[in-house]
Amino acid sequence: MTSSKRFFAVAVVLTVAVAGTLGACAGGGGQGQAEDGGGSLAEASYVPVGEWDKYYAFLSGGQSGSVFVYGLPSGRYIRSIPVFEPRAGYGYANNPGTDTYEMLASTGPMWGDTHHPILSETGGDYDGRWLWINDKANARVARIDLSTFETKVIRRIPNIEAAHGIAVISPDTSYVIVNGEFRHEIPGGVAPNPDAYSSVMGFLDPETLEVQFEVQVPGNLDINDSSKDGRWAFSTVYNLEGGLTVEQMIRLDEDALAAVDIPAAERAIAAGEFTEINGAKVIDPTATTEKVLYMIPVAKNPHGADVTPDGKYVMGTGKLSPTVTVIDISLIDQVDNPREAIVAEPDVGLGPLHTTFDGRGNAYTSLFVDSQIVKWNIEKAVAGDPTYIVDRIDVHYNVGHTQATLAETMHPTGEYLVALNKLSKDMFLPVGPTMPENQELIDISGEKMRMLSSFPSEPEPHDAVFMLASDLAPKVIQVEELTANAVAEGESRMERTGPNSVHVYLTAIRSKYGLNEFTVKQGDEVTITVTNIETIRDMSHGFALDNYGVNAAIDPGQTREFSFVADKIGTYWYYCTWFCSALHLEMRGRMLVEPARP
Ligand code: RUQ
Ligand code: CUA
Ligand code: CA
């Protein structure tokens, strides 16, 4: 590529706000209504009332701190999974003293910045067990259990600032990897001289999220992925310059794709070739007997790192270069000059960010500056055939991530692609100066892409993953299993557990709590255990205690526990917050708080 073209790409990216604004058509609608034989586009994404979507879509919630669940192809919003934010509607982390509150509060702030949802794999396919999501701002990773769609583990990862890229190690989820994007002093302290900075890729136990080891990488780490055989963890590095400012970070014409040889790293750990830093075993790859880290040059300030479903290639998507760097994974440890592992550098358009796949040999790259998805043939590009571009489609506007159905697995379905657009501008009814994000659903089953529909969401989905409903829906449980602390039918009671403490046990079933009232003394520490003893799906109850700051949803079979000090004298009603029956409003009882001394 000519250097003037590179320069043009940089200039355009840096002025995208202006370019994007000019590109928007003022005042309203009309986008995505491509002609297609009248009505068939609408039909292609229409799911009749009462029928299920074919796919689950999990969208990261960006600075909303959660995960959004949509159905595809309808684009229907189904629910949120709160992760790094309290959510009263699901009784998640909104009551101090509860498990979820402590899990979140003990690891950092009550908000997060979620970027990348990833799914557990067995044999290179999604197994429907878990979903992980990162909190970039607070160096955290969370695991969600897909049998209940609940966050089960949150962990803060040591030695990381800006936990950005995360990925599972295919094919059997041997690790979850997490990238530290911002360089800083790894052992701690403050060093104004950036030469002392570095960043690490963390290898976590997928279930507990405990760090197994970390590998130091020069530059910084951005987006990651793994080879399909468990051998390699890849990450793009966009600041090989080690710069502190934008100008410094874009000085070089090339950055790198880092490839960590996982078995070699494991052997280094076994041989004691690490330093324990802040509770993590950290490998300095310049000090190991075996080669652990390979750095392959890729086009300027790359962003996405994506492995093809057949496991042959890893691609660094150029961002400031209009190209994608295609690397043959089998050559990485075979060549003397890492450059020889590069087998193609197709020119795809301006501002390429992420690449996804249909499993039929095609790649789809999002073009932030051009506001397009470009479809290109991988083997043609590798063979040097200039006709590798297959199709382009306009999106609205400034697309970031793009994902095709099951593209991260070894068996993509090649059916739909979602463009996660950073700006929606004029696409929806105006709702203030900030507009919702715009997802666009594109049919990729044919040679040409077809724009089917768009659907808005809360800010700001960065990425999405999809699962076939036929794979996941049967694994979702209908009623929670009773836990050891569950209150059984007929066992509702209040026990005084000390001079200043009581424990109240309650059942909840349509349309009554197990006790109509209980009486405590002012200053008592009150613990309330409530079990929803319904045995059928969707019969949720709630438990809110008015003016005492207690509120939680309780799934069928679930037990919730709250603790608070009864510091205010009076009558306080507890009531059900989920509309469960015709007598939902009557489903309530009294807590009487009497003076400590009469
Ligand atoms: S980033 S628009 Cu956080 Cu996933 Cu690429
Ligand atoms: Cu129980 Cu409403
Ligand atoms: Ca750079």
Side-chain angles (χ1 to χ4, degrees):
M1 182 197 330
T2 64
S3 59
S4 66
K5 186 157 189 187
R6 281 187 198 276
F7 177 77
F8 177 63
V10 173
V12 174
V13 170
L14 296 179
T15 55
V16 66
V18 177
T21 306
L22 293 174
C25 72
Q31 310 298 342
Q33 294 173 4
E35 297 298 318
D36 191 65
S40 68
L41 283 180
E43 277 163 23
S45 61
Y46 178 70
V47 178
V49 172
E51 282 187 22
W52 287 0
D53 276 289
K54 184 167 178 184
Y55 292 92
Y56 285 90
F58 297 94
L59 277 60
S60 62
Q63 59 271 34
S64 300
S66 290
V67 171
F68 308 131
V69 185
Y70 282 77
L72 290 186
S74 73
R76 294 191 288 218
Y77 165 75
I78 299 173
R79 68 164 283 180
S80 299
I81 308 171
V83 185
F84 299 109
E85 58 167 344
R87 191 72 70 98
Y90 295 111
Y92 179 79
N94 63 318
N95 303 286
T98 55
D99 294 352
T100 51
Y101 183 96
E102 295 310 319
M103 174 173 70
L104 181 55
S106 68
T107 55
M110 306 300 275
W111 58 270
D113 181 18
T114 60
H115 284 229
H116 304 110
I118 55 169
L119 290 163
S120 56
E121 294 175 12
T122 300
D125 290 311
Y126 296 145
D127 58 25
R129 283 185 299 162
W130 298 324
L131 179 145
W132 296 266
I133 187 94
N134 66 314
D135 168 12
K136 172 166 169 171
N138 306 297
R140 292 184 287 190
V141 178
R143 176 170 65 76
I144 291 160
D145 187 328
L146 290 176
S147 70
T148 56
F149 285 54
E150 285 174 331
T151 305
K152 293 293 186 191
V153 181
I154 295 178
R155 198 172 287 273
R156 194 172 192 117
I157 312 302
N159 304 322
I160 279 185
E161 272 200 25
H164 193 200
I166 63 169
V168 303
I169 299 299
S170 298
D172 294 315
T173 318
S174 47
Y175 298 98
V176 164
I177 52 171
V178 54
N179 277 348
E181 183 179 351
F182 301 161
R183 301 167 70 244
H184 65 128
E185 311 80 353
I186 292 292
V190 58
N193 182 346
D195 292 348
Y197 293 176
S198 73
S199 35
V200 297
M201 183 187 290
F203 289 73
L204 315 181
D205 177 276
E207 183 163 9
T208 65
L209 304 184
E210 272 162 30
V211 182
Q212 305 303 294
F213 60 89
E214 294 179 336
V215 178
Q216 275 181 299
V217 179
N220 62 355
L221 290 153
D222 194 15
I223 303 294
N224 51 24
D225 201 351
S226 78
S227 61
K228 299 297 185 193
D229 58 0
R231 167 88 190 271
W232 299 100
F234 300 112
S235 172
T236 45
V237 169
Y238 66 76
N239 185 17
L240 209 53
E241 299 88 343
L244 300 176
T245 63
V246 178
E247 295 77 10
Q248 291 167 355
M249 292 184 212
I250 62 173
R251 195 170 49 79
L252 297 175
D253 252 359
E254 281 178 337
D255 285 282
L257 184 119
V260 173
D261 184 336
I262 299 170
E266 289 169 337
R267 287 192 292 271
I269 292 291
E273 296 179 324
F274 62 84
T275 314
E276 181 109 15
I277 303 175
N278 298 317
K281 294 171 178 164
V282 181
I283 297 173
D284 171 357
T286 63
T288 51
T289 320
E290 277 184 75
K291 194 167 166 67
V292 168
L293 177 68
Y294 296 71
M295 299 289 279
I296 303 141
V298 299
K300 196 176 181 77
N301 287 54
H303 188 51
D306 295 287
V307 172
T308 53
D310 59 11
K312 272 170 87 172
Y313 305 112
V314 55
M315 304 186 179
T317 303
K319 194 166 76 187
L320 294 202
S321 155
T323 59
V324 177
T325 306
V326 183
I327 295 156
D328 183 331
I329 294 172
S330 70
L331 295 178
I332 292 174
D333 62 350
Q334 300 299 314
V335 293
D336 295 328
N337 179 350
R339 207 174 285 281
E340 290 163 20
I342 299 170
V343 290
E345 277 190 287
D347 200 322
V348 291
L350 294 181
L353 288 181
H354 294 278
T355 300
T356 187
F357 309 99
D358 61 10
R360 294 186 296 268
N362 299 300
Y364 299 76
T365 299
S366 57
L367 301 174
F368 179 82
V369 176
D370 279 341
S371 285
Q372 279 184 339
I373 301 292
V374 53
K375 173 181 179 181
W376 54 280
N377 184 281
I378 301 165
E379 290 304 340
K380 278 191 176 177
V382 170
D385 179 338
T387 67
Y388 58 85
I389 299 285
V390 181
D391 192 21
R392 293 177 187 277
I393 192 166
D394 289 338
V395 295
H396 315 89
Y397 301 90
N398 302 97
V399 58
H401 276 272
T402 184
Q403 279 288 357
T405 42
L406 277 53
E408 306 270 306
T409 73
M410 287 164 77
H411 302 98
T413 57
E415 199 169 1
Y416 300 108
L417 174 143
V418 171
L420 293 106
N421 304 315
K422 299 297 185 189
L423 303 177
S424 66
K425 296 180 182 178
D426 53 357
M427 295 292 286
F428 305 110
L429 293 172
V431 288
T434 298
M435 294 296 293
E437 309 307 307
N438 180 27
Q439 279 65 236
E440 287 180 311
L441 182 73
I442 296 166
D443 172 4
I444 56 164
S445 61
E447 179 80 352
K448 292 237 161 250
M449 293 180 273
R450 290 197 309 160
M451 177 66 73
L452 296 181
S453 64
S454 75
F455 55 98
S457 69
E458 288 277 294
E460 175 207 325
H462 285 250
D463 196 4
V465 276
F466 316 114
M467 255 197 94
L468 278 166
S470 55
D471 287 344
L472 180 53
K475 300 198 162 122
V476 178
I477 63 170
Q478 308 208 351
V479 175
E480 299 252 6
E481 242 174 84
L482 291 176
T483 46
N485 64 341
V487 183
E489 169 106 74
E491 287 187 354
S492 296
R493 65 200 184 276
M494 190 187 94
E495 283 173 5
R496 183 152 285 281
T497 48
N500 299 103
S501 59
V502 299
H503 197 147
V504 180
Y505 299 87
L506 293 174
T507 54
I509 191 166
R510 282 158 292 166
S511 305
K512 267 177 103 57
Y513 294 105
L515 295 177
N516 290 322
E517 60 181 65
F518 60 88
T519 303
V520 302
K521 300 248 179 275
Q522 185 182 23
D524 272 345
E525 191 172 323
V526 182
T527 303
I528 302 179
T529 305
V530 195
T531 300
N532 177 345
I533 57 171
E534 301 279 359
T535 54
I536 54 165
R537 175 168 72 183
D538 205 24
M539 279 323 312
S540 300
H541 295 286
F543 183 87
L545 183 54
D546 91 298
N547 284 321
Y548 261 97
V550 167
N551 177 24
I554 314 170
D555 293 342
Q558 195 175 36
T559 298
R560 298 273 197 188
E561 213 156 78
F562 318 93
S563 294
F564 57 92
V565 175
D567 50 4
K568 302 184 287 277
I569 291 171
T571 296
Y572 298 91
W573 290 89
Y574 46 90
Y575 69 97
C576 178
T577 45
W578 279 68
F579 211 111
C580 52
S581 63
L583 291 172
H584 157 76
L585 289 163
E586 289 81 354
M587 186 169 171
R588 55 194 170 102
R590 291 187 301 163
M591 175 178 77
L592 299 156
V593 184
E594 294 181 342
R597 285 200 195 107

